Amino acid sequence: MPDALDRLRRRDRLRRGVRHAHNWWQLARFTAVGASGYVVNLATFALCVHALDLDFRLAAFLAFLVAVTNNFWWNRHWTFDARGGHAGQQAFRFLVISVAAFVVNLAILEVLVSVANLKEVVAQAIAVAAATPCNFLGNKLWTFTE
């Protein structure tokens, strides 16, 4: 019986959450931060590949790290206003959620490119958009708990 009760509580919490404008504004800020992270990622990648002449795989890894750092700072200070929490714990959780969202993104990207035969850039745009809600919910409910 406790499992059924827990499911009802979660469903009620989700319904209440969807009805609050504050949550939608947080999602909008989270998306804006993600867009800035995308730009930071591409700029860092281009710098590493062209100016520093690094291998593209290493450049991708470094770009991910710089973008995750950028996104963590902005989400901690602006999106969720979670400065009161422990920064190290939040950073670890943010990284876990970011990697999980990246895996979701990669899976969707693979299906869209390999099965649906979409162009890579179009597929990536769809995959990023599809993974964003997972990333937002993970960070709202676990990383930056209010």
Side-chain angles (χ1 to χ4, degrees), residues 12-27:
D12 288 343
R13 185 176 175 197
L14 179 63
R15 282 188 193 133
R16 283 192 307 269
V18 169
R19 292 181 183 147
H20 290 282
H22 170 73
N23 292 329
W24 290 104
W25 283 112
Q26 272 189 333
L27 178 60

Side-chain angles (χ1 to χ4, degrees), residues 16-47:
R16 283 192 307 269
V18 169
R19 292 181 183 147
H20 290 282
H22 170 73
N23 292 329
W24 290 104
W25 283 112
Q26 272 189 333
L27 178 60
R29 287 191 300 269
F30 185 82
T31 302
V33 169
S36 78
Y38 184 71
V39 171
V40 166
N41 185 301
L42 289 180
T44 304
F45 182 82
L47 176 72

Side-chain angles (χ1 to χ4, degrees), residues 18-81:
V18 169
R19 292 181 183 147
H20 290 282
H22 170 73
N23 292 329
W24 290 104
W25 283 112
Q26 272 189 333
L27 178 60
R29 287 191 300 269
F30 185 82
T31 302
V33 169
S36 78
Y38 184 71
V39 171
V40 166
N41 185 301
L42 289 180
T44 304
F45 182 82
L47 176 72
C48 288
V49 168
H50 298 297
L52 302 176
D53 199 29
L54 296 178
D55 179 78
F56 73 93
R57 291 171 283 264
L58 178 58
F61 176 71
L62 293 174
F64 172 77
L65 291 178
V66 171
V68 162
T69 303
N70 170 77
N71 289 4
F72 171 74
W73 193 93
W74 281 106
N75 280 314
R76 183 170 194 260
H77 293 278
W78 184 52
T79 304
F80 298 107
D81 194 22

Side-chain angles (χ1 to χ4, degrees), residues 97-146:
I97 295 297
S98 295
V99 169
F102 180 67
V103 169
V104 169
N105 180 11
L106 222 52
I108 294 169
L109 180 64
E110 178 64 31
V111 168
L112 292 175
V113 171
S114 299
V115 177
N117 293 319
L118 289 180
K119 297 284 187 189
E120 289 86 356
V121 174
V122 173
Q124 174 68 348
I126 294 168
V128 167
T132 296
C134 299
N135 201 340
F136 173 73
L137 287 173
N139 282 301
K140 180 172 180 60
L141 299 176
W142 189 50
T143 305
F144 302 110
T145 55
E146 296 176 349

